[in-house]
Amino acid sequence: MLNPQRSLSELPKMSGPSQAERAVLEEEFNWLLKEEVHAVLKQLQDILKEASRRFSIPTPGLESQLKQENFILGSSTMDQVKGVLTLQGEALTQADINLKTAKSNHVMHFTFRDDKQWKLQQIQDARNHVNQALQLLSGRDESCHFKTGAEVNKLMDAVMLQLTRARNRLTTPAAMTLPELATSGLMKMFTPPMPGDVMVNFYINLSKLCLTVYQLHTMQPNTTKNFRPSGSSVLHNPGAMFELNNAKFEVSQVHKVECVVPWLNNTLVFFTISLQLCQQLKDKISVFSSFWNYRPF
């Protein structure tokens, strides 16, 4: 047992790396900066270019570069809403939706107008973050010499920030108020026009493309029901209320259907792999730094 009266100077000193060991470590660290860092950067660029290609915007006259894909919307719990969505990169180029009303069991049919496309903001934002990450990596070929681990860490932190933001845009749909949904440009996309008691919203959740349909009823001006307008939410529940143009509405029914988009799933995997590569490189640099910063008692 240590004698508490002994001073630190009397304790056995832990030996740090010898001069020879430090020389070997320095040689290995220089190899890391010169060779392995660039190998990781090249791997990151290849992965992110593939991810960016999937987000690409169709070039006028060359639309075949990015194929249109049809996805069938479905739900295991209800059949009030059915439809087919056509996705091309970030754009919904067509939507064919059937809505069965609860009261009359009548089926209403809506499609996008021929002159309209709906851009999915989440995919746009994710693409922009991927491209910013690629810009950070561009020009960092083998002719670029990193002199310190701090330089590499700074670059990795910047790339990881963009990749995290890109991933978050696909995993975290934007919350919206009901008046924002009611006045959204999406409501002007359809033919025939959506009736005033129906609202829709499209969004991405992980690898799924989701459609939510809200059926509303107008609240009577003299109603005794306590009116409490709802705040922002990704998905509003039945009973949610809002006011628009001096009229008050309540959500009577909510229908959510979705479809899996395989390339979105692949893109999320690319983000995970890229973030792991960045962190592994930072961890290796941290190991060397712990030796340089070692101070024996």
Side-chain angles (χ1 to χ4, degrees):
M1 182 174 178
L2 289 176
N3 183 346
Q5 302 301 319
R6 293 175 65 187
S7 67
L8 287 176
S9 61
E10 295 178 279
L11 294 174
K13 290 183 172 60
M14 294 176 62
S15 59
S18 66
Q19 188 172 354
E21 288 171 331
R22 283 182 172 273
V24 172
L25 287 170
E26 187 170 353
E27 184 178 349
E28 290 181 354
F29 187 59
N30 288 335
W31 180 88
L32 176 73
L33 292 179
K34 185 179 179 181
E35 303 293 340
E36 188 166 353
V37 167
H38 288 292
V40 172
L41 296 186
K42 176 65 167 58
Q43 195 174 357
L44 281 171
Q45 282 185 300
D46 290 344
I47 294 171
L48 295 182
K49 283 178 181 177
E50 179 63 22
S52 180
R53 184 183 66 80
R54 294 161 188 264
F55 288 136
S56 297
I57 303 173
T59 305
L62 296 174
E63 281 78 5
S64 60
Q65 287 182 337
L66 196 67
K67 65 178 181 178
Q68 290 188 342
E69 298 176 281
N70 293 326
F71 297 99
I72 299 174
L73 294 165
S75 168
S76 59
T77 58
M78 58 87 171
D79 63 353
Q80 284 93 336
V81 178
K82 295 181 179 179
V84 178
L85 303 180
T86 303
L87 183 65
Q88 187 174 23
E90 66 185 30
L92 272 176
T93 58
Q94 186 52 265
D96 192 301
I97 300 170
N98 290 321
L99 171 63
K100 185 187 294 183
T101 58
K103 292 181 180 180
S104 63
N105 221 26
H106 171 66
V107 176
M108 296 186 289
H109 181 236
F110 307 97
T111 61
F112 275 179
R113 288 165 42 183
D114 291 338
D115 61 334
K116 295 289 186 180
Q117 291 187 352
W118 183 250
K119 297 296 180 68
L120 292 164
Q121 188 65 46
Q122 289 173 263
I123 296 182
Q124 281 185 306
D125 292 344
R127 184 201 70 224
N128 290 337
H129 288 305
V130 170
N131 288 341
Q132 287 182 45
L134 281 169
Q135 287 178 5
L136 289 167
L137 295 170
S138 66
R140 303 280 186 163
D141 57 18
E142 294 182 2
S143 64
C144 174
H145 300 296
F146 292 95
K147 296 181 180 179
T148 66
E151 288 181 74
V152 180
N153 281 339
K154 183 178 180 181
L155 176 60
M156 291 298 96
D157 285 341
V159 171
M160 290 175 77
L161 177 63
Q162 295 303 325
L163 293 179
T164 300
R165 287 175 174 173
R167 184 176 62 183
N168 288 347
R169 286 302 287 129
L170 298 181
T171 59
T172 311
M176 297 180 69
T177 66
L178 289 166
E180 286 172 341
L181 288 175
T183 56
S184 164
L186 181 58
M187 298 303 296
K188 302 180 178 68
M189 296 280 296
F190 294 92
T191 180
M194 284 277 177
D197 60 351
V198 175
M199 298 191 309
V200 298
N201 187 30
F202 292 109
Y203 60 88
I204 300 295
N205 185 15
L206 294 167
S207 61
K208 294 179 179 178
L209 175 56
C210 305
L211 165 65
T212 304
V213 179
Y214 297 97
Q215 290 185 263
L216 315 171
H217 76 259
T218 305
M219 301 176 69
Q220 297 301 318
N222 58 352
T223 182
T224 58
K225 198 169 190 178
N226 189 16
F227 178 74
R228 293 181 179 177
S230 302
S232 296
S233 180
V234 175
L235 182 66
H236 296 270
N237 295 318
M241 304 174 189
F242 70 101
E243 185 173 2
L244 185 68
N245 299 329
N246 297 320
K248 295 178 180 178
F249 300 89
E250 183 178 13
V251 175
S252 57
Q253 292 192 48
V254 181
H255 312 294
K256 180 185 173 184
V257 287
E258 59 191 26
C259 54
V260 174
V261 181
W263 67 262
L264 281 176
N265 184 66
N266 294 339
T267 300
L268 289 168
V269 172
F270 290 153
F271 291 163
T272 299
I273 294 172
S274 298
L275 286 165
Q276 288 174 345
L277 285 172
C278 292
Q279 187 59 53
Q280 287 167 2
L281 186 55
K282 289 186 64 178
D283 290 344
K284 288 182 180 180
I285 289 171
S286 177
V287 170
F288 283 101
S289 298
S290 66
F291 282 105
W292 306 147
N293 296 331
Y294 177 80
R295 292 291 183 271
F297 290 119

